[in-house]
Protein backbone atom coordinates (compact mmCIF):
# COMPACT_ATOMS: atom_id res chain seq x y z
CA UNK A 1 0.00 0.00 0.00
CA UNK A 2 3.06 2.26 0.06
CA UNK A 3 2.36 3.42 -3.50
CA UNK A 4 -1.06 4.70 -2.44
CA UNK A 5 0.37 6.50 0.59
CA UNK A 6 3.02 8.21 -1.51
CA UNK A 7 0.33 9.19 -3.99
CA UNK A 8 -1.80 10.70 -1.22
CA UNK A 9 1.09 12.83 -0.07
CA UNK A 10 1.48 14.46 -3.49
CA UNK A 11 -2.21 15.39 -3.77
CA UNK A 12 -3.03 14.25 -7.29
CA UNK A 13 -6.31 16.13 -7.65
CA UNK A 14 -8.23 16.29 -10.89
CA UNK A 15 -6.34 15.15 -13.97
CA UNK A 16 -3.50 13.79 -11.87
CA UNK A 17 -0.98 11.72 -13.63
CA UNK A 18 0.71 14.95 -14.54
CA UNK A 19 1.73 17.69 -12.15
CA UNK A 20 -1.01 20.19 -11.48
CA UNK A 21 -0.96 23.79 -12.53
CA UNK A 22 2.71 24.53 -12.00
CA UNK A 23 3.38 26.81 -14.94
CA UNK A 24 6.67 28.00 -16.38
CA UNK A 25 7.23 30.85 -13.91
CA UNK A 26 6.78 28.45 -11.01
CA UNK A 27 9.23 25.99 -12.56
CA UNK A 28 11.95 28.58 -13.09
CA UNK A 29 11.36 30.08 -9.62
CA UNK A 30 11.81 26.60 -8.18
CA UNK A 31 15.18 26.24 -9.92
CA UNK A 32 16.33 29.72 -8.86
CA UNK A 33 15.37 29.22 -5.21
CA UNK A 34 17.17 25.91 -4.73
CA UNK A 35 20.35 27.46 -3.36
CA UNK A 36 18.31 29.40 -0.75
CA UNK A 37 16.53 26.34 0.62
CA UNK A 38 17.60 25.24 4.12
CA UNK A 39 19.32 21.86 3.90
CA UNK A 40 19.63 22.07 0.12
CA UNK A 41 22.81 20.02 0.03
CA UNK A 42 21.32 17.32 2.22
CA UNK A 43 18.28 16.92 -0.03
CA UNK A 44 19.93 17.40 -3.44
CA UNK A 45 23.55 16.56 -2.71
CA UNK A 46 23.83 13.64 -5.12
CA UNK A 47 22.47 15.67 -8.00
CA UNK A 48 24.70 18.61 -7.11
CA UNK A 49 27.69 16.27 -7.25
CA UNK A 50 26.69 14.96 -10.68
CA UNK A 51 26.14 18.52 -11.91
CA UNK A 52 29.57 19.54 -10.64
CA UNK A 53 31.25 16.65 -12.45
CA UNK A 54 29.36 17.56 -15.62
CA UNK A 55 30.59 21.14 -15.31
CA UNK A 56 34.16 19.92 -14.83
CA UNK A 57 33.95 17.77 -17.97
CA UNK A 58 32.78 20.74 -19.99
CA UNK A 59 35.58 22.88 -18.57
CA UNK A 60 38.05 20.23 -19.75
CA UNK A 61 36.52 20.39 -23.22
CA UNK A 62 36.97 24.17 -23.29
CA UNK A 63 40.58 23.83 -22.14
CA UNK A 64 41.52 20.84 -24.28
CA UNK A 65 39.92 21.75 -27.62
CA UNK A 66 40.10 25.46 -28.30
CA UNK A 67 37.83 27.07 -29.31
CA UNK A 68 35.55 24.44 -30.90
CA UNK A 69 35.28 21.26 -32.96
CA UNK A 70 34.09 21.45 -36.55
CA UNK A 71 31.60 19.40 -38.55
CA UNK A 72 30.84 19.65 -42.31
CA UNK A 73 27.47 21.28 -41.55
CA UNK A 74 29.15 24.01 -39.47
CA UNK A 75 30.22 26.03 -42.49
CA UNK A 76 26.72 26.18 -44.00
CA UNK A 77 25.34 27.59 -40.76
CA UNK A 78 28.03 30.28 -40.70
CA UNK A 79 27.33 31.39 -44.27
CA UNK A 80 23.69 31.98 -43.27
CA UNK A 81 24.88 34.20 -40.40
CA UNK A 82 26.34 36.64 -42.92
CA UNK A 83 23.75 36.10 -45.66
CA UNK A 84 20.40 35.57 -43.92
CA UNK A 85 18.49 33.40 -46.34
CA UNK A 86 16.61 30.12 -45.83
CA UNK A 87 18.94 27.27 -46.79
CA UNK A 88 17.61 24.44 -48.97
CA UNK A 89 18.95 21.74 -46.63
CA UNK A 90 18.96 23.13 -43.09
CA UNK A 91 16.60 25.64 -41.44
CA UNK A 92 18.13 28.87 -40.18
CA UNK A 93 17.39 28.53 -36.45
CA UNK A 94 20.93 27.58 -35.45
CA UNK A 95 22.37 30.31 -37.65
CA UNK A 96 20.26 32.83 -35.72
CA UNK A 97 21.70 31.40 -32.50
CA UNK A 98 25.20 31.96 -33.90
CA UNK A 99 24.17 35.47 -34.92
CA UNK A 100 23.18 36.30 -31.34
CA UNK A 101 26.66 35.31 -30.16
CA UNK A 102 28.56 37.06 -32.96
CA UNK A 103 29.32 40.19 -30.85
CA UNK A 104 31.72 38.05 -28.77
CA UNK A 105 33.86 37.57 -31.91
CA UNK A 106 34.84 34.02 -31.13
CA UNK A 107 33.58 30.47 -31.42
CA UNK A 108 34.58 29.96 -27.79
CA UNK A 109 31.38 31.84 -26.90
CA UNK A 110 29.32 29.38 -28.97
CA UNK A 111 30.79 26.28 -27.34
CA UNK A 112 30.54 27.88 -23.89
CA UNK A 113 26.87 28.67 -24.50
CA UNK A 114 26.22 25.13 -25.76
CA UNK A 115 27.88 23.62 -22.70
CA UNK A 116 25.70 25.81 -20.49
CA UNK A 117 22.65 24.59 -22.41
CA UNK A 118 23.76 21.01 -21.76
CA UNK A 119 24.04 21.67 -18.02
CA UNK A 120 20.68 23.47 -18.04
CA UNK A 121 19.10 20.46 -19.75
CA UNK A 122 20.30 18.23 -16.92
CA UNK A 123 18.78 20.61 -14.36
CA UNK A 124 15.47 20.67 -16.26
CA UNK A 125 15.32 16.87 -16.32
CA UNK A 126 15.93 16.73 -12.57
CA UNK A 127 13.28 19.36 -11.80
CA UNK A 128 10.72 17.92 -14.22
CA UNK A 129 11.01 14.53 -12.50
CA UNK A 130 10.30 16.06 -9.07
CA UNK A 131 7.52 13.54 -8.31
CA UNK A 132 9.99 10.66 -8.57
CA UNK A 133 12.33 9.62 -5.74
CA UNK A 134 15.51 11.67 -5.65
CA UNK A 135 17.69 8.73 -6.65
CA UNK A 136 15.58 8.27 -9.80
CA UNK A 137 15.69 11.99 -10.57
CA UNK A 138 19.46 12.04 -10.24
CA UNK A 139 19.93 8.98 -12.43
CA UNK A 140 17.65 10.52 -15.07
CA UNK A 141 19.99 13.51 -15.34
CA UNK A 142 23.21 11.45 -15.47
CA UNK A 143 23.33 10.70 -19.23
CA UNK A 144 22.91 14.27 -20.42
CA UNK A 145 25.37 15.54 -17.80
CA UNK A 146 28.06 12.83 -17.89
CA UNK A 147 27.88 11.02 -21.25
CA UNK A 148 31.18 11.78 -23.00
CA UNK A 149 29.53 11.86 -26.42
CA UNK A 150 27.05 14.43 -25.15
CA UNK A 151 29.92 16.65 -24.00
CA UNK A 152 31.64 16.19 -27.39
CA UNK A 153 28.41 17.03 -29.23
CA UNK A 154 28.12 20.26 -27.27
CA UNK A 155 31.63 21.18 -28.39
CA UNK A 156 30.75 20.69 -32.07
CA UNK A 157 29.44 23.63 -34.06
CA UNK A 158 26.16 21.90 -34.94
CA UNK A 159 22.51 22.50 -34.09
CA UNK A 160 21.85 19.42 -31.96
CA UNK A 161 22.61 20.89 -28.51
CA UNK A 162 20.28 23.84 -29.06
CA UNK A 163 17.61 21.51 -30.41
CA UNK A 164 17.99 19.20 -27.39
CA UNK A 165 17.56 22.05 -24.92
CA UNK A 166 14.47 23.43 -26.67
CA UNK A 167 12.75 20.03 -26.86
CA UNK A 168 13.47 19.03 -23.27
CA UNK A 169 12.29 22.43 -22.03
CA UNK A 170 9.06 22.13 -24.02
CA UNK A 171 8.36 18.62 -22.73
CA UNK A 172 9.13 19.62 -19.14
CA UNK A 173 6.66 22.51 -19.36
CA UNK A 174 4.00 20.34 -20.97
CA UNK A 175 2.90 19.08 -17.56
CA UNK A 176 0.94 22.26 -16.91
CA UNK A 177 -2.44 23.81 -17.69
CA UNK A 178 -1.71 27.52 -17.77
CA UNK A 179 -2.39 29.14 -21.17
CA UNK A 180 0.67 31.38 -20.86
CA UNK A 181 2.89 28.39 -20.28
CA UNK A 182 1.27 26.43 -23.10
CA UNK A 183 2.03 29.33 -25.43
CA UNK A 184 5.65 29.15 -24.30
CA UNK A 185 5.66 25.44 -25.14
CA UNK A 186 4.44 26.23 -28.63
CA UNK A 187 7.16 28.84 -29.13
CA UNK A 188 9.82 26.41 -27.90
CA UNK A 189 8.58 23.77 -30.33
CA UNK A 190 8.60 26.31 -33.17
CA UNK A 191 12.18 27.27 -32.33
CA UNK A 192 13.14 23.59 -32.22
CA UNK A 193 11.48 22.94 -35.60
CA UNK A 194 13.33 25.87 -37.13
CA UNK A 195 16.55 24.46 -35.70
CA UNK A 196 16.01 20.90 -36.90
CA UNK A 197 12.97 19.91 -38.94
CA UNK A 198 12.61 16.65 -37.01
CA UNK A 199 10.89 18.83 -34.41
CA UNK A 200 7.75 19.10 -36.58
CA UNK A 201 6.07 15.85 -35.42
CA UNK A 202 6.67 16.84 -31.80
CA UNK A 203 4.21 19.72 -32.24
CA UNK A 204 1.55 17.09 -32.95
CA UNK A 205 2.72 14.90 -30.06
CA UNK A 206 2.43 17.64 -27.46
CA UNK A 207 -0.85 18.96 -28.84
CA UNK A 208 -2.23 15.40 -28.64
CA UNK A 209 -1.07 15.26 -25.01
CA UNK A 210 -3.35 18.16 -24.08
CA UNK A 211 -6.24 16.67 -26.06
CA UNK A 212 -5.72 13.39 -24.17
CA UNK A 213 -6.02 15.35 -20.94
CA UNK A 214 -9.26 16.90 -22.24
CA UNK A 215 -7.70 20.32 -22.59
CA UNK A 216 -8.63 20.93 -26.22
CA UNK A 217 -8.48 24.69 -25.83
CA UNK A 218 -4.91 24.51 -24.55
CA UNK A 219 -4.02 22.27 -27.46
CA UNK A 220 -5.30 25.03 -29.74
CA UNK A 221 -3.15 27.60 -27.93
CA UNK A 222 -0.10 25.39 -28.36
CA UNK A 223 -0.75 24.83 -32.06
CA UNK A 224 -1.28 28.54 -32.70
CA UNK A 225 1.89 29.52 -30.84
CA UNK A 226 3.92 26.88 -32.69
CA UNK A 227 2.50 27.30 -36.17
CA UNK A 228 2.61 31.09 -36.45
CA UNK A 229 6.46 31.25 -36.42
CA UNK A 230 6.74 28.10 -38.54
CA UNK A 231 4.32 29.43 -41.17
CA UNK A 232 6.10 32.79 -41.14
CA UNK A 233 9.41 31.02 -41.81
CA UNK A 234 7.72 29.03 -44.57
CA UNK A 235 6.61 32.29 -46.17
CA UNK A 236 10.19 33.59 -46.00
CA UNK A 237 11.42 30.32 -47.54
CA UNK A 238 8.90 30.64 -50.36
CA UNK A 239 9.84 34.25 -51.03
CA UNK A 240 13.53 33.32 -51.22
CA UNK A 241 13.32 29.99 -53.06
CA UNK A 242 9.86 29.94 -54.70
CA UNK A 243 9.16 26.60 -53.06
CA UNK A 244 6.71 25.47 -50.39
CA UNK A 245 8.12 24.09 -47.15
CA UNK A 246 10.80 24.78 -44.57
CA UNK A 247 13.60 23.13 -46.56
CA UNK A 248 13.96 21.90 -50.11
CA UNK A 249 15.67 18.57 -49.55
CA UNK A 250 12.98 16.23 -48.21
CA UNK A 251 12.72 14.29 -51.47
CA UNK A 252 16.48 13.97 -51.79
CA UNK A 253 16.92 12.56 -48.29
CA UNK A 254 14.04 10.13 -48.68
CA UNK A 255 15.49 8.98 -52.01
CA UNK A 256 18.81 8.31 -50.32
CA UNK A 257 17.00 6.41 -47.58
CA UNK A 258 15.24 4.11 -50.03
CA UNK A 259 18.44 3.23 -51.88
CA UNK A 260 19.25 0.73 -49.13
CA UNK A 261 16.53 -1.55 -50.57
CA UNK A 262 15.05 -0.04 -53.78
CA UNK A 263 15.00 -2.58 -56.62
CA UNK A 264 13.99 -1.12 -59.97
CA UNK A 265 13.12 -4.60 -61.25
CA UNK A 266 10.35 -4.72 -58.65
CA UNK A 267 9.41 -1.06 -58.89
CA UNK A 268 9.19 -0.85 -62.71
CA UNK A 269 9.64 2.96 -62.68
CA UNK A 270 8.75 5.15 -65.67
CA UNK A 271 11.52 6.25 -67.97
CA UNK A 272 12.20 9.59 -66.28
CA UNK A 273 12.77 7.86 -62.91
CA UNK A 274 15.04 5.12 -64.24
CA UNK A 275 17.98 7.51 -64.24
CA UNK A 276 17.93 7.25 -60.42
CA UNK A 277 18.23 3.46 -60.33
CA UNK A 278 21.37 1.77 -59.02
CA UNK A 279 22.08 -1.53 -60.79
CA UNK A 280 24.08 -2.87 -57.85
CA UNK A 281 22.29 -5.20 -55.41
CA UNK A 282 21.36 -3.44 -52.13
CA UNK A 283 23.92 -5.37 -50.06
CA UNK A 284 26.75 -3.98 -52.23
CA UNK A 285 25.64 -0.35 -52.12
CA UNK A 286 27.29 2.41 -50.06
CA UNK A 287 25.59 4.05 -47.03
CA UNK A 288 22.52 6.11 -47.82
CA UNK A 289 24.21 9.48 -47.37
CA UNK A 290 26.51 8.76 -50.31
CA UNK A 291 23.51 9.10 -52.63
CA UNK A 292 23.28 12.74 -51.54
CA UNK A 293 26.91 13.85 -51.46
CA UNK A 294 28.97 11.48 -53.62
CA UNK A 295 29.78 12.58 -57.17
CA UNK A 296 29.00 9.01 -58.33
CA UNK A 297 25.39 9.19 -57.11
CA UNK A 298 22.78 8.95 -59.88
CA UNK A 299 21.04 11.98 -58.36
CA UNK A 300 24.19 14.09 -58.15
CA UNK A 301 24.95 13.35 -61.81
CA UNK A 302 21.72 15.01 -62.92
CA UNK A 303 21.90 18.55 -64.38
CA UNK A 304 21.71 21.42 -61.92
CA UNK A 305 22.33 21.39 -58.19
CA UNK A 306 21.31 18.33 -56.21
CA UNK A 307 18.64 20.21 -54.28
CA UNK A 308 16.98 22.00 -57.18
CA UNK A 309 13.20 21.76 -57.26
CA UNK A 310 13.27 19.53 -60.35
CA UNK A 311 15.74 17.09 -58.80
CA UNK A 312 14.04 17.08 -55.40
CA UNK A 313 10.64 16.40 -57.01
CA UNK A 314 12.14 13.59 -59.11
CA UNK A 315 13.80 12.07 -56.04
CA UNK A 316 10.55 12.33 -54.09
CA UNK A 317 8.62 10.49 -56.80
CA UNK A 318 11.23 7.75 -56.94
CA UNK A 319 11.23 7.34 -53.15
CA UNK A 320 7.43 7.23 -52.99
CA UNK A 321 7.35 4.54 -55.66
CA UNK A 322 10.03 2.54 -53.83
CA UNK A 323 8.14 2.63 -50.53
CA UNK A 324 4.76 1.76 -52.05
CA UNK A 325 6.23 -0.98 -54.25
CA UNK A 326 8.35 -2.55 -51.53
CA UNK A 327 6.65 -1.72 -48.21
CA UNK A 328 8.03 -4.75 -46.36
CA UNK A 329 11.55 -4.06 -47.58
CA UNK A 330 11.18 -0.46 -46.44
CA UNK A 331 9.91 -1.51 -43.00
CA UNK A 332 12.73 -4.02 -42.64
CA UNK A 333 15.29 -1.39 -43.62
CA UNK A 334 13.92 1.10 -41.09
CA UNK A 335 13.96 -1.51 -38.31
CA UNK A 336 17.50 -2.49 -39.23
CA UNK A 337 18.65 1.12 -39.01
CA UNK A 338 16.71 1.67 -35.79
CA UNK A 339 18.35 -1.41 -34.30
CA UNK A 340 21.71 0.33 -34.43
CA UNK A 341 20.41 2.61 -31.68
CA UNK A 342 20.30 -0.25 -29.20
CA UNK A 343 23.58 -2.02 -29.99
CA UNK A 344 25.93 -2.48 -27.04
CA UNK A 345 29.02 -1.43 -28.96
CA UNK A 346 29.55 1.58 -31.15
CA UNK A 347 30.62 0.23 -34.56
CA UNK A 348 31.81 2.64 -37.22
CA UNK A 349 28.78 4.00 -39.13
CA UNK A 350 27.86 5.40 -41.61
CA UNK A 351 31.56 5.75 -42.50
CA UNK A 352 34.87 6.39 -40.81
CA UNK A 353 34.89 10.10 -41.66
CA UNK A 354 31.54 10.92 -40.05
CA UNK A 355 32.19 8.58 -37.14
CA UNK A 356 35.46 10.38 -36.36
CA UNK A 357 33.68 13.72 -35.96
CA UNK A 358 31.97 12.34 -32.84
CA UNK A 359 35.25 11.40 -31.14
CA UNK A 360 37.55 13.81 -29.34
CA UNK A 361 40.42 13.89 -31.87
CA UNK A 362 44.09 13.22 -31.23
CA UNK A 363 45.25 15.59 -33.97
CA UNK A 364 43.64 18.78 -35.27
CA UNK A 365 41.13 18.18 -38.10
CA UNK A 366 42.24 19.26 -41.57
CA UNK A 367 40.68 22.14 -43.55
CA UNK A 368 37.38 21.55 -45.32
CA UNK A 369 37.59 19.86 -48.71
CA UNK A 370 34.31 20.62 -50.46
CA UNK A 371 33.88 23.99 -52.12
CA UNK A 372 30.77 25.08 -50.14
CA UNK A 373 32.62 24.34 -46.92
CA UNK A 374 35.62 26.34 -48.14
CA UNK A 375 33.33 29.33 -48.69
CA UNK A 376 31.95 28.83 -45.19
CA UNK A 377 35.48 28.71 -43.80
CA UNK A 378 36.17 32.18 -45.20
CA UNK A 379 33.09 33.52 -43.42
CA UNK A 380 34.11 31.68 -40.27
CA UNK A 381 37.32 33.72 -40.26
CA UNK A 382 35.21 36.87 -40.32
CA UNK A 383 33.14 35.55 -37.42
CA UNK A 384 36.27 34.66 -35.43
CA UNK A 385 38.09 37.79 -36.63
CA UNK A 386 41.13 35.64 -37.17
CA UNK A 387 42.30 32.19 -38.16
CA UNK A 388 40.02 29.25 -37.47
CA UNK A 389 40.81 25.71 -36.46
CA UNK A 390 41.08 23.59 -33.35
CA UNK A 391 44.01 23.81 -30.97
CA UNK A 392 44.46 20.58 -28.98
CA UNK A 393 45.94 21.19 -25.55
CA UNK A 394 47.29 18.37 -23.42
CA UNK A 395 46.82 16.91 -20.86
CA UNK A 396 43.20 18.10 -20.84
CA UNK A 397 42.40 16.64 -24.27
CA UNK A 398 43.95 13.31 -23.33
CA UNK A 399 41.90 13.11 -20.17
CA UNK A 400 38.74 13.61 -22.19
CA UNK A 401 39.73 10.98 -24.76
CA UNK A 402 40.31 8.50 -21.96
CA UNK A 403 36.98 9.37 -20.40
CA UNK A 404 35.18 9.01 -23.73
CA UNK A 405 36.56 5.51 -24.17
CA UNK A 406 34.66 4.26 -21.11
CA UNK A 407 31.72 6.54 -20.22
CA UNK A 408 28.65 6.60 -22.46
CA UNK A 409 25.03 5.46 -22.40
CA UNK A 410 24.99 1.93 -23.92
CA UNK A 411 22.26 1.17 -26.41
CA UNK A 412 20.67 -1.68 -24.40
CA UNK A 413 20.30 0.63 -21.39
CA UNK A 414 18.42 3.12 -23.57
CA UNK A 415 16.19 0.28 -24.74
CA UNK A 416 15.44 -0.72 -21.13
CA UNK A 417 14.59 2.90 -20.33
CA UNK A 418 12.09 2.95 -23.19
CA UNK A 419 10.52 -0.39 -22.29
CA UNK A 420 10.30 0.18 -18.54
CA UNK A 421 7.43 2.74 -18.41
CA UNK A 422 4.87 0.83 -20.53
CA UNK A 423 5.81 -2.51 -18.95
CA UNK A 424 5.53 -1.07 -15.43
CA UNK A 425 2.16 0.48 -16.32
CA UNK A 426 0.87 -2.87 -17.60
CA UNK A 427 2.00 -4.67 -14.45
CA UNK A 428 0.39 -2.09 -12.17
CA UNK A 429 -2.83 -2.21 -14.15
CA UNK A 430 -2.90 -5.99 -13.74
CA UNK A 431 -2.55 -5.47 -9.99
CA UNK A 432 -5.61 -3.23 -9.93
CA UNK A 433 -3.77 0.09 -9.90
CA UNK A 434 -4.37 2.62 -12.60
CA UNK A 435 -3.39 6.18 -13.35
CA UNK A 436 -5.82 8.85 -12.21
CA UNK A 437 -5.24 10.51 -15.59
CA UNK A 438 -2.84 10.17 -18.52
CA UNK A 439 0.50 9.09 -17.01
CA UNK A 440 3.10 11.83 -16.82
CA UNK A 441 5.76 9.63 -18.41
CA UNK A 442 3.74 9.33 -21.63
CA UNK A 443 4.73 12.68 -23.17
CA UNK A 444 8.56 12.42 -22.77
CA UNK A 445 8.36 8.75 -23.76
CA UNK A 446 6.41 9.57 -26.94
CA UNK A 447 8.78 12.39 -27.83
CA UNK A 448 11.79 10.11 -27.35
CA UNK A 449 10.28 7.43 -29.60
CA UNK A 450 9.50 9.96 -32.33
CA UNK A 451 13.05 11.35 -32.21
CA UNK A 452 14.52 7.86 -32.48
CA UNK A 453 12.26 6.53 -35.24
CA UNK A 454 12.05 9.55 -37.55
CA UNK A 455 15.69 9.76 -38.77
CA UNK A 456 15.93 6.06 -39.77
CA UNK A 457 12.52 6.36 -41.45
CA UNK A 458 13.19 9.42 -43.61
CA UNK A 459 16.99 9.82 -43.76
CA UNK A 460 19.53 7.62 -42.04
CA UNK A 461 20.64 6.49 -38.59
CA UNK A 462 23.30 8.71 -37.07
CA UNK A 463 24.77 8.48 -33.58
CA UNK A 464 24.24 12.16 -32.90
CA UNK A 465 20.52 11.82 -33.62
CA UNK A 466 20.21 9.45 -30.64
CA UNK A 467 21.49 11.89 -28.03
CA UNK A 468 18.46 14.28 -27.99
CA UNK A 469 16.16 11.32 -27.24
CA UNK A 470 18.19 10.01 -24.29
CA UNK A 471 17.22 12.68 -21.68
CA UNK A 472 13.56 12.29 -22.61
CA UNK A 473 13.74 8.50 -22.22
CA UNK A 474 15.43 8.98 -18.85
CA UNK A 475 12.77 11.47 -17.76
CA UNK A 476 10.03 9.03 -18.76
CA UNK A 477 11.73 6.28 -16.80
CA UNK A 478 12.00 8.42 -13.69
CA UNK A 479 8.38 9.55 -13.88
CA UNK A 480 7.23 5.94 -14.15
CA UNK A 481 8.93 4.98 -10.88
CA UNK A 482 6.38 6.74 -8.69
CA UNK A 483 3.32 7.56 -10.79
CA UNK A 484 0.01 8.94 -9.55
CA UNK A 485 -2.14 5.86 -9.11
CA UNK A 486 -5.48 4.88 -7.67
CA UNK A 487 -6.63 1.41 -6.81
CA UNK A 488 -9.87 0.24 -8.43
CA UNK A 489 -12.22 -1.25 -5.85
CA UNK A 490 -14.25 -4.41 -6.35
CA UNK A 491 -17.35 -2.32 -7.06
CA UNK A 492 -15.57 -0.83 -10.05
CA UNK A 493 -15.28 2.65 -8.52
CA UNK A 494 -11.94 4.29 -7.96
CA UNK A 495 -10.83 4.03 -4.36
CA UNK A 496 -11.13 7.41 -2.69
CA UNK A 497 -13.53 8.93 -5.20
CA UNK A 498 -16.27 9.01 -2.58
CA UNK A 499 -14.19 11.16 -0.24
CA UNK A 500 -15.06 14.85 -0.48
CA UNK A 501 -12.32 16.68 -2.37
CA UNK A 502 -11.82 19.27 0.38
CA UNK A 503 -10.89 16.63 2.98
CA UNK A 504 -8.61 14.46 0.85
CA UNK A 505 -5.00 14.31 1.86
Amino acid sequence: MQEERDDAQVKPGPGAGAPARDGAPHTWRRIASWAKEPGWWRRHGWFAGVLAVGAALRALAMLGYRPALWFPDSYTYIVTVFHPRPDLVRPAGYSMFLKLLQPFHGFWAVTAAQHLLGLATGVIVYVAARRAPRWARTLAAVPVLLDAYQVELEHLLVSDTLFLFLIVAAVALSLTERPSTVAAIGLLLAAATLTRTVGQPLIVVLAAWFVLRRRVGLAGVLLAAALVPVVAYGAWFYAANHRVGLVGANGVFLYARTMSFADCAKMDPPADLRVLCDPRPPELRPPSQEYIWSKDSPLVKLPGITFSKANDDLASRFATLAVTSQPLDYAGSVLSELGRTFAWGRPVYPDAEIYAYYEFPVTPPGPPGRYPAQVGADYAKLYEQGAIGTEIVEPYAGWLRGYQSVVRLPGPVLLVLLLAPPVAAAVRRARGLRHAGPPAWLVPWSAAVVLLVTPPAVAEFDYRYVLPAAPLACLAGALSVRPDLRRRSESGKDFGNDIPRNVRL
Side-chain angles (χ1 to χ4, degrees):
M1 300 297 292
Q2 183 61 39
E3 285 179 298
E4 295 168 275
R5 293 180 60 186
D6 289 343
D7 178 52
Q9 293 168 1
V10 293
K11 303 179 184 177
R21 308 167 181 267
D22 288 352
H26 177 82
T27 301
W28 302 125
R29 283 198 302 270
R30 178 187 291 269
I31 294 174
S33 65
W34 269 5
K36 301 178 182 179
E37 293 180 8
W40 185 92
W41 285 99
R42 178 175 58 82
R43 288 194 296 275
H44 306 289
W46 281 105
F47 172 73
V50 170
L51 184 64
V53 173
L57 291 171
R58 286 156 175 83
L60 284 179
M62 295 292 293
L63 292 171
Y65 294 92
R66 306 175 187 177
L69 293 172
W70 294 80
F71 193 77
D73 296 358
S74 305
Y75 304 100
T76 302
Y77 291 124
I78 294 166
V79 170
T80 306
V81 171
F82 289 91
H83 295 281
R85 174 188 174 93
D87 187 69
L88 290 173
V89 182
R90 302 168 190 89
Y94 184 65
S95 296
M96 298 303 101
F97 174 75
L98 295 176
K99 186 71 175 180
L100 290 174
L101 297 172
Q102 189 179 4
F104 292 98
H105 301 301
F107 290 108
W108 65 268
V110 179
T111 52
Q114 292 183 170
H115 286 310
L116 289 174
L117 289 178
L119 292 172
T121 302
V123 173
I124 291 172
V125 169
Y126 184 77
V127 174
R130 59 189 173 275
R131 289 185 166 241
R134 289 194 186 99
W135 63 265
R137 299 167 64 186
T138 302
L139 288 177
V142 163
V144 71
L145 291 175
L146 302 186
D147 188 316
Y149 287 94
Q150 171 67 35
V151 177
E152 200 272 350
L153 183 69
E154 293 170 15
H155 213 63
L156 280 171
L157 296 174
V158 290
S159 62
D160 299 76
T161 300
L162 176 62
F163 175 79
L164 166 64
F165 171 80
L166 294 170
I167 288 301
V168 172
V171 169
L173 291 178
S174 67
L175 309 178
T176 182
E177 297 178 1
R178 294 187 179 185
S180 59
T181 302
V182 174
I185 296 170
L187 292 175
L188 287 168
L189 291 172
T193 297
L194 300 180
T195 301
R196 280 188 57 203
T197 54
V198 73
Q200 291 178 85
L202 297 182
I203 297 175
V204 178
V205 169
L206 268 70
W209 165 248
F210 283 100
V211 172
L212 189 62
R213 293 167 61 188
R214 300 179 182 178
R215 297 290 186 264
V216 177
L218 295 184
V221 172
L222 185 151
L223 287 172
L227 292 180
V228 167
V230 170
V231 171
Y233 184 89
W236 183 33
F237 184 86
Y238 182 82
N241 299 296
H242 305 290
R243 296 167 69 175
V244 176
L246 302 179
V247 293
N250 292 329
V252 171
F253 277 89
L254 189 58
Y255 161 75
R257 178 68 196 86
T258 61
M259 292 309 291
S260 63
F261 66 88
D263 185 344
C264 285
K266 297 179 181 178
M267 294 165 52
D268 190 23
D272 64 331
L273 295 184
R274 285 191 176 275
V275 296
L276 297 180
C277 293
D278 188 337
R280 292 172 292 184
E283 60 271 15
L284 298 181
R285 294 175 186 172
S288 295
Q289 65 165 5
E290 293 300 313
Y291 289 91
I292 303 174
W293 310 112
S294 173
K295 63 181 180 180
D296 298 323
S297 165
L299 181 62
V300 176
K301 290 180 179 179
L302 294 178
I305 63 172
T306 303
F307 302 103
S308 68
K309 186 177 188 307
N311 287 345
D312 188 65
D313 289 345
L314 197 70
S316 179
R317 287 174 52 212
F318 183 97
T320 302
L321 180 62
V323 172
T324 55
S325 301
Q326 301 173 252
L328 295 181
D329 292 334
Y330 172 64
S333 180
V334 171
L335 291 175
S336 176
E337 288 283 281
L338 182 61
R340 299 180 188 276
T341 304
F342 308 116
W344 180 265
R346 194 178 169 94
V348 175
Y349 191 83
D351 57 41
E353 179 186 2
I354 295 299
Y355 183 88
Y357 283 115
Y358 306 143
E359 304 280 333
F360 284 111
V362 177
T363 58
R370 294 173 180 162
Y371 174 73
Q374 293 172 0
V375 173
D378 292 335
Y379 283 108
K381 294 173 185 177
L382 293 177
Y383 191 101
E384 182 75 11
Q385 293 195 344
I388 62 170
T390 301
E391 179 187 1
I392 299 178
V393 181
E394 303 293 351
Y396 313 113
W399 293 345
L400 274 177
R401 291 193 299 270
Y403 181 83
Q404 190 176 34
S405 67
V406 294
V407 181
R408 64 181 178 86
L409 180 67
V413 175
L414 178 59
L415 180 60
V416 169
L417 288 169
L418 288 171
L419 292 177
V423 170
V427 170
R428 286 174 173 133
R429 189 175 186 86
R431 291 171 51 196
L433 293 168
R434 74 172 185 86
H435 291 281
W441 57 262
L442 185 59
V443 63
W445 184 87
S446 300
V449 170
V450 167
L451 290 177
L452 290 176
V453 172
T454 302
V458 300
E460 183 181 50
F461 168 83
D462 193 298
Y463 286 111
R464 70 186 172 106
Y465 297 158
V466 176
L467 290 173
L472 297 171
C474 293
L475 176 58
L479 290 172
S480 70
V481 171
R482 184 178 164 183
D484 295 321
L485 300 171
R486 291 179 182 170
R487 182 177 295 279
R488 183 175 292 277
S489 66
E490 294 182 1
S491 65
K493 295 181 179 179
D494 291 332
F495 178 79
N497 274 4
D498 55 342
I499 302 175
R501 196 174 299 278
N502 64 326
V503 297
R504 292 183 191 177
L505 294 176

